[in-house]
Amino acid sequence: MPGEEGMETGVDGGVNTASLARWMDARGIAPGEPLETSLITGGASNEIHEIRRGGRRMVLRRPPRRIPPGRNETMLREFRVLSALNGTDVPHPEAIAACDDTDVIGCCFYLMDHVDGWSPLNDGGWPEPFRSDLSLRPGLAHQLVEGIARLASVDWRARGLEGFGRPDGFHDRQVDRWSSHLEKFRFREIPGLDAAAAWLRGHRPSRWEPGIMHGDYQFANVMFRHGAPARLAALVDFEMATIGDPLLDLAWVLMNWPDADEDRSVTGYVDYGGMPDRADLAARYAEVSGRDVGELDYYLILARFKMAVVLEGGYARHVNGQADNPAMAHFGDVVLRTAAAAADLAAATRL
């Protein structure tokens, strides 16, 4: 791979700082100043490095060392979205520059501003005062849905994202796309999935407006400012972003969100105690985005259908002994519950 040797002789955190400094000099990014790097996170998905130069803190995002097919291109797609969001009211890391020359550090990468904040995924749940004061938690949920409501309101054509996705026929493709993906690794029956697919084919939204979709929107992919009240600092990780139907992002948040009268003891990586109900969050999204959420059940069924397929892919890799994440061993039951929830809602909804 071009540039791989440079990665091996990198000075700091595996990044060839001399080569990176020359690239930054050519773009006027604190030229001539000493450059330091340190690894923030790394793994099978992507690597994130902090870059310090000339009193400025930045973040470099790059693929993992073993670069999967298409991941270099994904870096450039992510940067395109971030650049489009510069100057909007969507909280995000400001885009600085991207590199499509794999000779610089061995891969495509981009630079963005450092965000001073915290993530519930990286901080082991809610930090204080949100851990102790449940009355502050509704603000976290409201800020979460306001983030995608603002994202959905961006004029994506005016921001240069024409051609970034294929909004025409978006809903016509969804069931076929994910069903075809499932057939690549399907090894068992998944009760409820076919019923959900049949319902989705016959109940596409009556009308919808294309917009920017994050694609994997959840608490794990946002950052909050330190202290109370809750303030969203940034939407992050736009790896799955496209132009599609933004209401699917809302459904992605809400599909497993427990109401106050439901079991909140099994919560994944966050504690939902004190959180608002799904209807409250849907109403907040509608208020901020101006979008109609009257057909939300369709999106919840689609989100659960898609999630079941995605997780089944991970579980299939575990069953075949090819899993790169131990958590995939637990996906099997989650898939069955998610597919059943999709079918149950399809049978119960009044749409």
Side-chain angles (χ1 to χ4, degrees):
M1 177 186 66
E4 187 170 359
E5 182 177 352
M7 289 300 298
E8 295 301 322
T9 59
V11 175
D12 196 347
V15 173
N16 187 327
T17 52
S19 181
L20 178 61
R22 289 192 295 271
W23 180 85
M24 293 174 70
D25 286 346
R27 283 146 189 83
I29 306 172
E33 297 286 344
L35 186 150
E36 300 176 83
T37 77
S38 58
L39 181 66
I40 298 176
T41 60
S45 179
N46 294 292
E47 289 186 8
I48 302 175
H49 299 258
E50 181 177 344
I51 308 295
R52 298 174 297 279
R53 196 181 205 204
R56 187 174 182 182
R57 295 178 72 189
M58 296 163 276
V59 171
L60 183 151
R61 184 168 164 92
R62 57 150 293 162
R65 300 311 161 90
R66 294 184 179 275
I67 303 175
R71 190 59 60 86
N72 276 320
E73 292 76 12
T74 297
M75 291 293 108
L76 302 179
R77 279 180 58 84
E78 287 186 34
F79 183 78
R80 186 177 172 188
V81 177
L82 287 178
S83 297
L85 296 180
N86 284 355
T88 70
D89 65 353
V90 179
H92 70 284
E94 289 285 308
I96 299 173
C99 178
D100 61 1
D101 182 357
T102 58
D103 285 333
V104 177
I105 66 167
C107 59
C108 295
F109 66 91
Y110 64 86
L111 285 177
M112 53 188 166
D113 272 341
H114 179 272
V115 175
D116 184 19
W118 59 271
S119 162
L121 182 64
N122 296 333
D123 286 52
W126 310 130
E128 294 295 350
F130 305 100
R131 186 185 302 274
S132 301
D133 190 346
L134 269 64
S135 70
L136 296 173
R137 292 189 186 174
L140 295 168
H142 291 149
Q143 286 285 292
L144 180 71
V145 298
E146 286 182 23
I148 42 168
R150 297 187 185 282
L151 183 67
S153 301
V154 171
D155 186 342
W156 53 278
R157 293 184 180 89
R159 305 302 300 182
L161 290 179
E162 191 78 50
F164 185 75
R166 294 191 298 142
D168 292 344
F170 177 82
H171 288 290
D172 297 335
R173 295 191 302 270
Q174 291 305 299
V175 174
D176 288 343
R177 175 187 177 185
W178 294 107
S179 296
S180 176
H181 182 63
L182 176 63
E183 291 308 316
K184 296 176 183 177
F185 48 78
R186 189 164 191 165
F187 69 98
R188 63 172 180 166
E189 289 300 312
I190 304 175
L193 205 62
D194 290 343
W199 187 93
L200 288 166
R201 292 183 192 278
H203 295 81
R204 295 182 183 91
S206 57
R207 62 183 182 185
W208 63 281
E209 179 67 27
I212 304 174
M213 276 181 57
H214 180 278
D216 187 22
Y217 197 70
Q218 53 179 305
F219 275 121
N221 286 328
V222 299
M223 296 179 67
F224 291 93
R225 304 250 176 233
H226 297 289
R231 294 164 297 158
L232 195 63
L235 282 63
V236 298
D237 193 353
F238 285 86
E239 184 174 338
M240 304 300 293
T242 190
I243 304 300
D245 191 336
L247 278 169
L248 190 54
D249 276 342
L250 175 64
W252 205 252
V253 172
L254 298 183
M255 64 176 160
N256 293 318
W257 191 286
D259 281 342
D261 61 349
E262 296 175 332
D263 182 12
R264 291 187 168 185
S265 62
V266 181
T267 58
Y269 59 88
V270 296
D271 177 2
Y272 286 92
M275 288 290 185
D277 287 349
R278 291 186 294 272
D280 297 327
L281 295 180
R284 177 61 66 94
Y285 177 92
E287 177 185 357
V288 176
S289 70
R291 290 175 179 262
D292 184 356
V293 297
E295 295 181 286
L296 182 58
D297 279 356
Y298 165 87
Y299 295 91
L300 290 170
I301 296 165
L302 176 57
R304 290 168 179 170
F305 175 81
K306 175 181 173 181
M307 177 63 83
V309 172
V310 170
L311 293 183
E312 184 71 356
Y315 185 59
R317 290 197 294 276
H318 163 72
V319 171
N320 293 329
Q322 301 171 337
D324 53 6
N325 184 342
M328 292 178 181
H330 306 288
F331 287 177
D333 289 341
V334 178
V335 169
L336 299 180
R337 290 197 301 270
T338 304
D344 289 346
L345 182 55
T349 183
R350 297 181 178 180
L351 291 182

